[in-house]
Amino acid sequence: MPSAPSPPPASPSKGLTIITTHINADFDAMASMLAAQKIYPGALVVFPGSQEKNLRNFFIQSMVYMYNLAEMKDIDLQRVSRLVLVDTRKAERIGPLAAVLDNPDLEIHIYDHHPIKSGDIAGQLEVHRITGATATLMTEIIRKKKLSINAEEATIICLGIYEDTGSFTFSSTTREDLLAAAHLVSKGANINVIANLIAREISPIQIGYLNDLIQAATRYVINGIEIVVTTVTYDHYLPDFAFLIHKLVKMEELNAIFALAQMENKVYIVARSRTESVDVGEILAALGGGGHPSAASAAIRGQALAQVEQALFRELHRQIVGMRQARQLMSAPPIVANADVTCAEANNLLTRYNINALLVTANKGGHDRLAGYITRQVIEKIIYHHLGHVPISDYMNTEWVTVGPDAELMEVQEKIIGHKQRILPVMEGEAIVGVITRTDLLNMLVQSQTQDDSAPEAFRRSASRRTRNITHFMQERLSTRVLETLRNIGQVAKGLGANAYGVGGFVRDLFLYRPNEDIDIVIEGDGIAFAKAYAAEFKTRIHTHKAFGTAVIIYPDGFKIDVATARLEYYRSPAALPDVEMSSIKLDLFRRDFTINTLAIQLVPDKFGRLLDFFSAQKDIKDKVIRVLHNLSFVEDPTRVFRALRFEQRFGFSIGKLAVSLIENAVKMDFFKRLSGRRVFTEIRLILEEDNPTPAIIRMGDFDLLKVIHPTIVLNSALIALLDEVKGVIAWHDLLFVETPCMRWTVFFMALTRSNDTDTCRDICRRLELPARHEQLFCQERTAAEQCLHQMEYRLPATDSALYHHLHPFRSELILYMLAATQVKAVKKAISKYYTQLRKTQPIIGGNDLIAMGLKPGPLFRQILDAILDAKLNGRLATREDEIKFAQRWLSDKDPSS
């Protein structure tokens, strides 16, 4: 370690000296900056970002005069020639000040007690030693140089030591920390002030936040070490988050805790550890944060809470090392290939999953059994020799060793290394339950940084979930039929050795107290095989879709159950349809659109009614917020944007801040142009079929999404007013004409496109790939209806019969559209009269009556019946006798001789 510098000049002749620390400075950082100012008199103290609330209250308000503070906006960063870093050496943690690092001939001095990592800033002068606080190192320099400090300065510096050592209770506390504190006390440090700040009382508001953290806390045992993880979400920044975690550790006597909080557009992590087995500084450093073994933090922008949580679990499993069994090391379910698969197809599998070896299975007695394995090296040589078309069974390795799930680390190590076997199957009897690769073993032994970072691997290694049994709740909310059906599903799945789950909107709506008997089932196993078994037992029909592993079970009365195989989806490109593979329930839920749709209920008999909540769906339902599970959600499937808006308005929720920014990015990048018109139309139609689609359409306008339908559609007050009119007209129709079918979405669609001419409407219809009957409705028929409406607004028909003949050619949807579109009250009244009183008017007599009068069938019949209809519409005929007499008079007037 270089010796401490002699007190430098106040400001180098060629520029400025600034002292700074990490963003979200704690007491140790503040104390170290003050101490650095003693060593570098005249230097400017600059904060790179926000500070904790208690620091603002204490330091900025009470002790601001001690610091030679400068605002970043007032400094020409290009003039900085010396940068003094305290309590950090990471470029990403000094915010905008990192730009100074590019200054030519910059002199960097670093004072830090955190472990040195690759990628850290290097300095010409570095004062580094592992102590409980950086303030300890600064105090030693002040003492050795005999620099004078007053009682207030001593108090501030001592406070930094007290905080970072947990009042000397953290395992990271060293002898030097105690000696430094003793020196500061001898200089007048006020222990009462320190105690008030370190051990301050918790406020009633903070108690509420603390209760949120306790309720959300889940305990996990990872490689024999108990870890507590708690996740919360707030729409505002919580300045005392670290203080509350400190309180929680003391209250619950926790050995290790990771607290994650989504606040505004960032995810914050605060971690504390009292065990050497969990180095929170190392773990959070992998996520872009920092700290030391007992206390660390991170602030992550641009990722959803679920993503950060899974990244955290990946690091926990990678870095917390203990005696492991094969079941803890293995990846499951294993990725396998049938012996008949070609070498070229196997190469695609290796590339898709970023793996270096593949287990091979062959059918024996109706079951897939292990037949060998093949490595990437072998496959690449086969491809090189243009043999990609041959089956892998021709070149697979047929000599292998296996382990059971309970095999200890030593056995795993001996078999992988001793047999030079790149991939080790984990077997229960003849069933393959998992695999352990050579990379898995190396990662565990040396904590290698080269572990596969793929999401599926991370999820296989993570066991995070929140569970509770909700059978009683289901009995209260579900009909007897649905409850019995769910139990039957569980029984059939158990008979097949599979797991069954109720998932999706069906489960979500249980907690929203909304009726929903559209049952969606996910099978961990073969969904189609399950559907066939269920149909055979309960005498139902099924439709299957082998490409997606899905089926629909249909009862004789039309009741349906949607069945899917638990699957992993990956997208070849933005907006593409997904490719599907077998997977686990957690992977299946992670592929879904929003956290609120990730709840699952186990249905097998011994676990019936057990709710799984991997992604804090219950919390988001309670908070009425729509969140995505990962930040590529709208890239992979842009149609989710429309669903987000639809759910937001249907449930009265709000879209989370991260999701809003991701929607804006999807619009900016125009991912929607890659969507097929049919997929866009499906989502637009679902929005227009909502009870009140207007708010969702307005939100589409907010995000500039109406251009996805057509660039000419613009949200304005006239369009909003027309949509509201349509809503009122349809509500009127549904109340008075329950038995009359109406495609309500078509009325809203015509309103949405009213400003477009026939040719533009035709372009829209073809862009959305609408059926010919819908194109006919929205183009030719709507144009005719608008022309009729224009004529009526210019001059109303003089008689009811004329009104009838004006409007009778148009179907109900067009009549409702005209009723909403006109602003002329007399026209509205006329259209309403037609629809309620005239529309179904018909003559009582018919052709047989005319034959009885001695007439022969022919064109005359239509003339007579039309004349009767007109007279009846105009109120001149009421009874059968009236119509017969009218027919006789009409004939007499036409031909007196008759």
Side-chain angles (χ1 to χ4, degrees), residues 372-395:
Y373 70 93
I374 194 163
T375 66
R376 182 186 291 273
Q377 287 177 316
V378 173
I379 289 289
E380 286 176 347
K381 289 181 180 179
I382 293 169
I383 299 296
Y384 176 79
H385 290 290
H386 307 290
L387 297 173
H389 60 281
V390 303
I392 55 177
S393 56
D394 288 0
Y395 295 99

mmCIF file of all heavy atoms in Angstrom, residues 372-395:
data_model
loop_
_atom_site.group_PDB
_atom_site.id
_atom_site.type_symbol
_atom_site.label_atom_id
_atom_site.label_comp_id
_atom_site.label_asym_id
_atom_site.label_seq_id
_atom_site.Cartn_x
_atom_site.Cartn_y
_atom_site.Cartn_z
ATOM 1 N N GLY A 372 -27.078 -42.672 -24.664
ATOM 2 C CA GLY A 372 -25.716 -42.193 -24.828
ATOM 3 C C GLY A 372 -25.670 -40.688 -24.718
ATOM 4 O O GLY A 372 -26.610 -40.045 -24.246
ATOM 5 N N TYR A 373 -24.564 -40.119 -25.160
ATOM 6 C CA TYR A 373 -24.452 -38.659 -25.204
ATOM 7 C C TYR A 373 -23.527 -38.276 -26.345
ATOM 8 O O TYR A 373 -22.741 -39.093 -26.854
ATOM 9 C CB TYR A 373 -23.957 -38.092 -23.879
ATOM 10 C CG TYR A 373 -22.515 -38.399 -23.545
ATOM 11 C CD1 TYR A 373 -21.496 -37.518 -23.888
ATOM 12 C CD2 TYR A 373 -22.155 -39.572 -22.872
ATOM 13 C CE1 TYR A 373 -20.176 -37.795 -23.581
ATOM 14 C CE2 TYR A 373 -20.836 -39.854 -22.570
ATOM 15 C CZ TYR A 373 -19.848 -38.969 -22.929
ATOM 16 O OH TYR A 373 -18.538 -39.252 -22.632
ATOM 17 N N ILE A 374 -23.628 -37.031 -26.773
ATOM 18 C CA ILE A 374 -22.789 -36.540 -27.858
ATOM 19 C C ILE A 374 -22.354 -35.125 -27.525
ATOM 20 O O ILE A 374 -23.120 -34.358 -26.921
ATOM 21 C CB ILE A 374 -23.529 -36.601 -29.216
ATOM 22 C CG1 ILE A 374 -22.566 -36.433 -30.375
ATOM 23 C CG2 ILE A 374 -24.669 -35.578 -29.276
ATOM 24 C CD1 ILE A 374 -23.141 -36.889 -31.715
ATOM 25 N N THR A 375 -21.119 -34.761 -27.876
ATOM 26 C CA THR A 375 -20.572 -33.462 -27.507
ATOM 27 C C THR A 375 -20.532 -32.517 -28.694
ATOM 28 O O THR A 375 -20.606 -32.925 -29.859
ATOM 29 C CB THR A 375 -19.140 -33.612 -26.951
ATOM 30 O OG1 THR A 375 -18.290 -34.075 -28.012
ATOM 31 C CG2 THR A 375 -19.106 -34.593 -25.786
ATOM 32 N N ARG A 376 -20.384 -31.232 -28.395
ATOM 33 C CA ARG A 376 -20.292 -30.214 -29.442
ATOM 34 C C ARG A 376 -19.073 -30.465 -30.341
ATOM 35 O O ARG A 376 -19.152 -30.278 -31.562
ATOM 36 C CB ARG A 376 -20.204 -28.823 -28.806
ATOM 37 C CG ARG A 376 -20.146 -27.692 -29.826
ATOM 38 C CD ARG A 376 -19.915 -26.357 -29.146
ATOM 39 N NE ARG A 376 -21.057 -25.955 -28.368
ATOM 40 C CZ ARG A 376 -22.100 -25.281 -28.849
ATOM 41 N NH1 ARG A 376 -22.145 -24.975 -30.143
ATOM 42 N NH2 ARG A 376 -23.098 -24.930 -28.066
ATOM 43 N N GLN A 377 -17.943 -30.891 -29.746
ATOM 44 C CA GLN A 377 -16.751 -31.141 -30.547
ATOM 45 C C GLN A 377 -17.008 -32.183 -31.624
ATOM 46 O O GLN A 377 -16.608 -32.028 -32.781
ATOM 47 C CB GLN A 377 -15.605 -31.601 -29.633
ATOM 48 C CG GLN A 377 -15.020 -30.481 -28.786
ATOM 49 C CD GLN A 377 -13.949 -31.010 -27.851
ATOM 50 O OE1 GLN A 377 -14.120 -32.052 -27.234
ATOM 51 N NE2 GLN A 377 -12.855 -30.286 -27.743
ATOM 52 N N VAL A 378 -17.682 -33.265 -31.239
ATOM 53 C CA VAL A 378 -17.985 -34.329 -32.198
ATOM 54 C C VAL A 378 -18.927 -33.811 -33.279
ATOM 55 O O VAL A 378 -18.725 -34.052 -34.479
ATOM 56 C CB VAL A 378 -18.588 -35.553 -31.477
ATOM 57 C CG1 VAL A 378 -19.063 -36.593 -32.489
ATOM 58 C CG2 VAL A 378 -17.571 -36.157 -30.523
ATOM 59 N N ILE A 379 -19.963 -33.100 -32.862
ATOM 60 C CA ILE A 379 -20.949 -32.570 -33.814
ATOM 61 C C ILE A 379 -20.272 -31.640 -34.821
ATOM 62 O O ILE A 379 -20.532 -31.707 -36.036
ATOM 63 C CB ILE A 379 -22.087 -31.838 -33.066
ATOM 64 C CG1 ILE A 379 -22.968 -32.837 -32.324
ATOM 65 C CG2 ILE A 379 -22.913 -30.989 -34.025
ATOM 66 C CD1 ILE A 379 -23.838 -33.688 -33.210
ATOM 67 N N GLU A 380 -19.394 -30.752 -34.337
ATOM 68 C CA GLU A 380 -18.752 -29.791 -35.240
ATOM 69 C C GLU A 380 -17.880 -30.508 -36.273
ATOM 70 O O GLU A 380 -17.821 -30.093 -37.449
ATOM 71 C CB GLU A 380 -17.922 -28.801 -34.424
ATOM 72 C CG GLU A 380 -18.780 -27.789 -33.673
ATOM 73 C CD GLU A 380 -17.974 -26.858 -32.793
ATOM 74 O OE1 GLU A 380 -16.777 -27.147 -32.566
ATOM 75 O OE2 GLU A 380 -18.548 -25.855 -32.329
ATOM 76 N N LYS A 381 -17.217 -31.582 -35.857
ATOM 77 C CA LYS A 381 -16.414 -32.342 -36.823
ATOM 78 C C LYS A 381 -17.304 -33.029 -37.857
ATOM 79 O O LYS A 381 -16.970 -33.104 -39.046
ATOM 80 C CB LYS A 381 -15.556 -33.366 -36.083
ATOM 81 C CG LYS A 381 -14.411 -32.744 -35.290
ATOM 82 C CD LYS A 381 -13.582 -33.812 -34.586
ATOM 83 C CE LYS A 381 -12.449 -33.169 -33.790
ATOM 84 N NZ LYS A 381 -11.647 -34.198 -33.078
ATOM 85 N N ILE A 382 -18.452 -33.539 -37.389
ATOM 86 C CA ILE A 382 -19.396 -34.183 -38.314
ATOM 87 C C ILE A 382 -19.909 -33.181 -39.347
ATOM 88 O O ILE A 382 -19.964 -33.470 -40.544
ATOM 89 C CB ILE A 382 -20.568 -34.799 -37.528
ATOM 90 C CG1 ILE A 382 -20.068 -35.976 -36.675
ATOM 91 C CG2 ILE A 382 -21.669 -35.255 -38.467
ATOM 92 C CD1 ILE A 382 -21.082 -36.484 -35.680
ATOM 93 N N ILE A 383 -20.264 -31.985 -38.866
ATOM 94 C CA ILE A 383 -20.753 -30.941 -39.767
ATOM 95 C C ILE A 383 -19.651 -30.555 -40.758
ATOM 96 O O ILE A 383 -19.909 -30.343 -41.947
ATOM 97 C CB ILE A 383 -21.221 -29.711 -38.971
ATOM 98 C CG1 ILE A 383 -22.383 -30.077 -38.019
ATOM 99 C CG2 ILE A 383 -21.630 -28.569 -39.906
ATOM 100 C CD1 ILE A 383 -23.633 -30.530 -38.703
ATOM 101 N N TYR A 384 -18.424 -30.462 -40.267
ATOM 102 C CA TYR A 384 -17.302 -30.088 -41.129
ATOM 103 C C TYR A 384 -17.147 -31.079 -42.283
ATOM 104 O O TYR A 384 -16.796 -30.716 -43.409
ATOM 105 C CB TYR A 384 -16.019 -30.026 -40.298
ATOM 106 C CG TYR A 384 -14.776 -29.738 -41.109
ATOM 107 C CD1 TYR A 384 -14.484 -28.433 -41.508
ATOM 108 C CD2 TYR A 384 -13.917 -30.766 -41.490
ATOM 109 C CE1 TYR A 384 -13.361 -28.159 -42.271
ATOM 110 C CE2 TYR A 384 -12.777 -30.497 -42.245
ATOM 111 C CZ TYR A 384 -12.499 -29.194 -42.626
ATOM 112 O OH TYR A 384 -11.385 -28.926 -43.384
ATOM 113 N N HIS A 385 -17.441 -32.344 -42.010
ATOM 114 C CA HIS A 385 -17.299 -33.382 -43.028
ATOM 115 C C HIS A 385 -18.607 -33.599 -43.811
ATOM 116 O O HIS A 385 -18.761 -34.634 -44.470
ATOM 117 C CB HIS A 385 -16.848 -34.693 -42.388
ATOM 118 C CG HIS A 385 -15.435 -34.653 -41.878
ATOM 119 N ND1 HIS A 385 -14.357 -34.605 -42.709
ATOM 120 C CD2 HIS A 385 -14.946 -34.627 -40.607
ATOM 121 C CE1 HIS A 385 -13.234 -34.568 -42.000
ATOM 122 N NE2 HIS A 385 -13.555 -34.585 -40.713
ATOM 123 N N HIS A 386 -19.532 -32.646 -43.705
ATOM 124 C CA HIS A 386 -20.770 -32.663 -44.488
ATOM 125 C C HIS A 386 -21.615 -33.906 -44.189
ATOM 126 O O HIS A 386 -22.222 -34.493 -45.082
ATOM 127 C CB HIS A 386 -20.461 -32.598 -45.988
ATOM 128 C CG HIS A 386 -19.563 -31.461 -46.361
ATOM 129 N ND1 HIS A 386 -19.978 -30.146 -46.323
ATOM 130 C CD2 HIS A 386 -18.260 -31.440 -46.759
ATOM 131 C CE1 HIS A 386 -18.981 -29.362 -46.695
ATOM 132 N NE2 HIS A 386 -17.919 -30.115 -46.958
ATOM 133 N N LEU A 387 -21.657 -34.284 -42.914
ATOM 134 C CA LEU A 387 -22.453 -35.446 -42.506
ATOM 135 C C LEU A 387 -23.603 -35.042 -41.590
ATOM 136 O O LEU A 387 -24.077 -35.840 -40.787
ATOM 137 C CB LEU A 387 -21.551 -36.471 -41.797
ATOM 138 C CG LEU A 387 -20.425 -37.070 -42.649
ATOM 139 C CD1 LEU A 387 -19.511 -37.930 -41.789
ATOM 140 C CD2 LEU A 387 -21.008 -37.891 -43.792
ATOM 141 N N GLY A 388 -24.045 -33.805 -41.730
ATOM 142 C CA GLY A 388 -25.099 -33.310 -40.851
ATOM 143 C C GLY A 388 -26.409 -34.056 -40.972
ATOM 144 O O GLY A 388 -27.244 -34.011 -40.076
ATOM 145 N N HIS A 389 -26.590 -34.803 -42.066
ATOM 146 C CA HIS A 389 -27.858 -35.495 -42.298
ATOM 147 C C HIS A 389 -27.942 -36.836 -41.577
ATOM 148 O O HIS A 389 -29.013 -37.433 -41.495
ATOM 149 C CB HIS A 389 -28.040 -35.733 -43.794
ATOM 150 C CG HIS A 389 -26.939 -36.570 -44.395
ATOM 151 N ND1 HIS A 389 -25.704 -36.040 -44.708
ATOM 152 C CD2 HIS A 389 -26.892 -37.888 -44.743
ATOM 153 C CE1 HIS A 389 -24.942 -36.994 -45.219
ATOM 154 N NE2 HIS A 389 -25.638 -38.124 -45.250
ATOM 155 N N VAL A 390 -26.837 -37.332 -41.047
ATOM 156 C CA VAL A 390 -26.862 -38.664 -40.416
ATOM 157 C C VAL A 390 -27.410 -38.550 -38.998
ATOM 158 O O VAL A 390 -27.285 -37.506 -38.347
ATOM 159 C CB VAL A 390 -25.467 -39.306 -40.412
ATOM 160 C CG1 VAL A 390 -24.908 -39.397 -41.803
ATOM 161 C CG2 VAL A 390 -24.519 -38.524 -39.513
ATOM 162 N N PRO A 391 -28.041 -39.595 -38.461
ATOM 163 C CA PRO A 391 -28.573 -39.542 -37.088
ATOM 164 C C PRO A 391 -27.445 -39.536 -36.049
ATOM 165 O O PRO A 391 -26.370 -40.104 -36.275
ATOM 166 C CB PRO A 391 -29.421 -40.812 -36.986
ATOM 167 C CG PRO A 391 -28.853 -41.735 -38.006
ATOM 168 C CD PRO A 391 -28.358 -40.879 -39.128
ATOM 169 N N ILE A 392 -27.687 -38.898 -34.924
ATOM 170 C CA ILE A 392 -26.654 -38.807 -33.897
ATOM 171 C C ILE A 392 -26.339 -40.168 -33.284
ATOM 172 O O ILE A 392 -25.277 -40.356 -32.705
ATOM 173 C CB ILE A 392 -27.052 -37.808 -32.787
ATOM 174 C CG1 ILE A 392 -28.422 -38.159 -32.191
ATOM 175 C CG2 ILE A 392 -27.043 -36.394 -33.290
ATOM 176 C CD1 ILE A 392 -28.825 -37.245 -31.048
ATOM 177 N N SER A 393 -27.251 -41.124 -33.437
ATOM 178 C CA SER A 393 -26.991 -42.459 -32.892
ATOM 179 C C SER A 393 -25.759 -43.088 -33.537
ATOM 180 O O SER A 393 -25.106 -43.958 -32.936
ATOM 181 C CB SER A 393 -28.204 -43.370 -33.109
ATOM 182 O OG SER A 393 -28.544 -43.433 -34.486
ATOM 183 N N ASP A 394 -25.394 -42.639 -34.760
ATOM 184 C CA ASP A 394 -24.233 -43.205 -35.451
ATOM 185 C C ASP A 394 -22.918 -42.794 -34.794
ATOM 186 O O ASP A 394 -21.902 -43.481 -34.951
ATOM 187 C CB ASP A 394 -24.229 -42.763 -36.913
ATOM 188 C CG ASP A 394 -25.313 -43.467 -37.718
ATOM 189 O OD1 ASP A 394 -26.057 -44.293 -37.146
ATOM 190 O OD2 ASP A 394 -25.423 -43.171 -38.931
ATOM 191 N N TYR A 395 -22.917 -41.653 -34.086
ATOM 192 C CA TYR A 395 -21.657 -41.111 -33.566
ATOM 193 C C TYR A 395 -21.697 -40.818 -32.070
ATOM 194 O O TYR A 395 -20.732 -40.298 -31.529
ATOM 195 C CB TYR A 395 -21.300 -39.820 -34.316
ATOM 196 C CG TYR A 395 -20.997 -40.047 -35.771
ATOM 197 C CD1 TYR A 395 -21.978 -39.807 -36.725
ATOM 198 C CD2 TYR A 395 -19.755 -40.523 -36.182
ATOM 199 C CE1 TYR A 395 -21.723 -40.025 -38.070
ATOM 200 C CE2 TYR A 395 -19.487 -40.745 -37.514
ATOM 201 C CZ TYR A 395 -20.467 -40.502 -38.460
ATOM 202 O OH TYR A 395 -20.208 -40.731 -39.780
#
